[in-house]
């Protein structure tokens, strides 16, 4: 039987023994701990954020990937940069055009839906909700994503792993 122990650990175990009613672990597959994960909850420079967004998230139809990428890439720090923030909604001054002569205010969606790589790459990555925050107080704009789904993605990942295993191997799966 395959046992999905967590969103990053799957074990292949024997049938229950007749005497002690225990299973012997035959094989364990773990998500590579050296794989880089997105640093949720930390502000990072705009360029670093965009690089991590494009390399550590799965782009899906209907998600906010393109929105986040576009909004973050438009942020320009100048002497006239303005932010309005009530703790939930942010308004950030954004320059539009190559010359930067057109200035407009854009309301930032506070909650965005994205699919970061957080479990085995073979399965479809679970979508999660994140709070997008932009900080223009320092010399360079900084951006952060804060998890806002209460860990629900873990359950969806376990279910996704179980479905993948059921379709690929001929053993029962416990998730």
């Amino acid at each position: 039987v395959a046992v999905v122990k967590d969103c990053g650990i799957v074990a292949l175990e024997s049938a229950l023994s007749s005497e002690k009613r225990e299973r012997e672990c035959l094989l364990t597959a773990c998500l590579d701990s050296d794989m880089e994960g997105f640093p949720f909850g930390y502000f990072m420079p705009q360029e670093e954020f965009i690089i991590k967004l494009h390399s550590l998230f799965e782009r899906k139809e209907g998600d906010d990937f393109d929105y986040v990428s576009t909004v973050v890439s438009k942020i320009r720090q100048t002497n006239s940069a303005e932010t309005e923030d009530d703790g939930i909604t942010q308004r950030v001054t954004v320059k539009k055009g190559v010359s930067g002569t057109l200035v407009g205010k854009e309301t930032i969606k506070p909650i965005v839906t994205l699919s970061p790589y957080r479990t085995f790459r073979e399965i479809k990555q679970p979508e999660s909700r994140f709070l997008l925050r932009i900080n223009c107080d320092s010399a360079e704009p900084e951006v952060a994503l804060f998890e806002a789904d209460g860990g629900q993605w873990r359950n969806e990942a376990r279910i996704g792993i179980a479905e993948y295993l059921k379709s690929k191997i001929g053993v029962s799966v416990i998730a």
Side-chain angles (χ1 to χ4, degrees):
V1 67
V3 180
V4 181
K5 296 188 176 259
D6 194 351
C7 54
I9 302 172
V10 176
L12 186 59
E13 297 184 354
S14 67
L16 291 172
S17 67
S18 59
E19 298 166 3
K20 296 182 181 178
R21 306 295 294 166
E22 295 177 347
R23 296 182 189 274
E24 178 184 358
C25 183
L26 306 172
L27 179 73
T28 302
C30 298
L31 191 61
D32 187 352
S33 61
D34 291 333
M35 290 182 126
E36 182 180 5
F38 190 88
F40 297 107
Y42 295 97
F43 282 93
M44 65 190 83
Q46 175 184 17
E47 183 178 9
E48 181 182 348
F49 180 89
I50 291 171
I51 291 168
K52 288 187 183 299
L53 179 71
H54 283 271
S55 62
L56 299 174
F57 286 79
E58 183 176 273
R59 180 183 263 158
K60 292 183 180 174
E61 189 174 326
D63 69 5
D64 292 319
F65 183 92
D66 291 329
Y67 168 79
V68 172
S69 180
T70 301
V71 166
V72 172
S73 66
K74 286 183 182 179
I75 300 168
R76 299 290 179 259
Q77 182 74 357
T78 64
N79 292 337
S80 63
E82 296 178 27
T83 60
E84 296 173 27
D85 187 353
D86 64 6
I88 297 173
T89 305
Q90 278 187 308
R91 291 180 66 81
V92 179
T93 300
V94 178
K95 289 187 178 184
K96 295 181 181 176
V98 176
S99 66
T101 57
L102 298 175
V103 177
K105 287 195 175 192
E106 190 167 318
T107 300
I108 306 299
K109 284 173 57 174
I111 301 292
V112 294
T113 302
L114 298 167
S115 302
Y117 292 115
R118 295 186 283 194
T119 186
F120 295 99
R121 302 308 192 257
E122 292 82 4
I123 71 162
K124 183 178 171 184
Q125 298 300 304
E127 287 186 346
S128 296
R129 294 170 37 140
F130 298 94
L131 178 63
L132 173 65
R133 303 297 294 161
I134 299 169
N135 181 4
C136 292
D137 292 337
S138 59
E140 184 179 341
E142 295 181 319
V143 186
L145 288 173
F146 296 87
E147 293 182 89
D149 75 344
Q152 179 182 352
W153 72 271
R154 292 183 178 281
N155 293 332
E156 292 176 20
R158 277 197 276 271
I159 292 168
I161 294 167
E163 289 172 357
Y164 177 84
L165 291 172
K166 286 176 187 174
S167 71
K168 297 293 182 187
I169 60 176
V171 298
S172 60
V173 179
I174 299 172

